Amino acid sequence: DSGVTQTPKHLITATGQRVTLRCSPRSGDLSVYWYQQSLDQGLQFLIQYYNGEERAKGNILERFSAQQFPDLHSELNLSSLELGDSALYFCASSPNTQAIYGYTFGSGTRLTVV
Amino acid sequence: AQTVTQSQPEMSVQEAETVTLSCTYDTSENNYYLFWYKQPPSRQMILVIRQEAYKQQNATENRFSVNFQKAAKSFSLKISDSQLGDTAMYFCAFTSDSGAGSYQLTFGKGTKLSVIP
């Protein structure tokens, strides 16, 4: 157990729907990062939060949004889902904004859009 | 923008043998950090080894070692005495200050390593 908890582990939904992925960072970590892993694109950085505030944005679609709550858990909201959004979504955490020791990853949420 | 390239989509190695996975990166930064992550079939991302760019000494962690060539922007991973449990996807990753002291990891597309009994 890495200490980073992601729920649910698997999600199957229809096109056009909206889903919410949840992440609890490792105890003591203030930064949360979201990544999308697809077969053809590898691991793509979506967004980073630090202590409740958005810190950096990557290749995140406008249909996607995220937030980090006062208890430091984070949610990634995906709306108007398309078949191409099917992927493994990872959450990772680090103690601060300087991930110079790398991240601790959760086990991911497998999203399948049908 | 930084890029990370892993030119070997798939590799295989006999159990107990040694294998080297390649990684190159592109950056104009002088201070940065490099990583190798392992993703076994369980899909959990596991940190294998880390290198600081300002340290010339290559990092080692038990059977895992790196060959860091800063001028060539190369960061290869050597796995000695390969074990069946080493079968996994291996990702090379890079990070530096993207602004205001904030770092994110940029990953290569991965190398699928199979260890053959």
Side-chain angles (χ1 to χ4, degrees):
Chain A
D1 182 6
S2 68
V4 179
T5 304
Q6 287 190 250
T7 56
K9 292 193 184 306
H10 303 275
L11 199 48
I12 301 175
T13 190
T15 55
Q17 294 299 304
R18 172 189 169 96
V19 297
T20 298
L21 313 183
R22 183 187 169 102
C23 169
S24 293
R26 190 179 61 166
S27 179
D29 286 356
L30 299 179
S31 267
V32 169
Y33 309 80
W34 287 98
Y35 280 77
Q36 179 192 59
Q37 185 181 23
S38 56
L39 284 175
D40 56 341
Q41 293 295 320
L43 279 149
Q44 296 288 310
F45 169 65
L46 297 178
I47 198 164
Q48 175 195 2
Y49 278 82
Y50 173 71
N51 204 21
E53 294 189 0
E54 182 183 305
R55 195 62 188 240
K57 254 184 178 178
N59 300 319
I60 188 166
L61 300 172
E62 285 192 9
R63 300 182 286 109
F64 296 1
S65 65
Q67 55 184 327
Q68 186 180 27
F69 295 87
D71 67 353
L72 300 177
H73 90 272
S74 178
E75 293 181 356
L76 179 66
N77 300 296
L78 316 176
S79 61
S80 303
L81 284 166
E82 302 174 0
L83 296 178
D85 297 327
S86 295
L88 187 55
Y89 290 84
F90 278 109
C91 169
S93 70
S94 68
N96 50 41
T97 60
Q98 298 182 349
I100 63 175
Y101 293 96
Y103 303 151
T104 302
F105 279 86
S107 57
T109 293
R110 169 71 69 186
L111 174 66
T112 303
V113 182
V114 298
Chain B
Q2 291 88 1
T3 58
V4 178
T5 302
Q6 294 180 249
S7 59
Q8 306 149 315
E10 292 192 41
M11 294 188 72
S12 62
V13 62
Q14 291 291 137
E15 195 174 5
E17 296 296 309
T18 295
V19 64
T20 299
L21 309 183
S22 300
C23 172
T24 59
Y25 57 94
D26 187 24
T27 183
S28 58
E29 300 288 334
N30 193 48
N31 188 28
Y32 51 88
Y33 302 83
L34 295 159
F35 308 87
W36 279 97
Y37 275 86
K38 167 184 175 181
Q39 187 179 38
S42 66
R43 80 189 188 196
Q44 179 71 50
M45 293 286 287
I46 301 165
L47 178 62
V48 175
I49 200 165
R50 167 186 177 269
Q51 176 78 42
E52 298 168 337
Y54 61 86
K55 287 189 176 179
Q56 293 190 348
Q57 186 174 4
N58 289 324
T60 62
E61 288 288 342
N62 301 312
R63 298 183 296 108
F64 298 87
S65 61
V66 298
N67 183 6
F68 173 49
Q69 301 288 328
K70 191 172 185 178
K73 296 181 182 176
S74 170
F75 183 60
S76 60
L77 175 70
K78 185 172 82 171
I79 305 174
S80 304
D81 185 25
S82 296
Q83 300 176 1
L84 298 179
D86 296 333
T87 293
M89 282 288 287
Y90 286 82
F91 292 94
C92 179
F94 168 101
T95 192
S96 66
D97 190 349
S98 62
S102 186
Y103 294 64
Q104 303 86 40
L105 268 60
T106 298
F107 288 86
K109 292 199 172 185
T111 296
K112 184 177 181 180
L113 177 68
S114 299
V115 179
I116 303 166

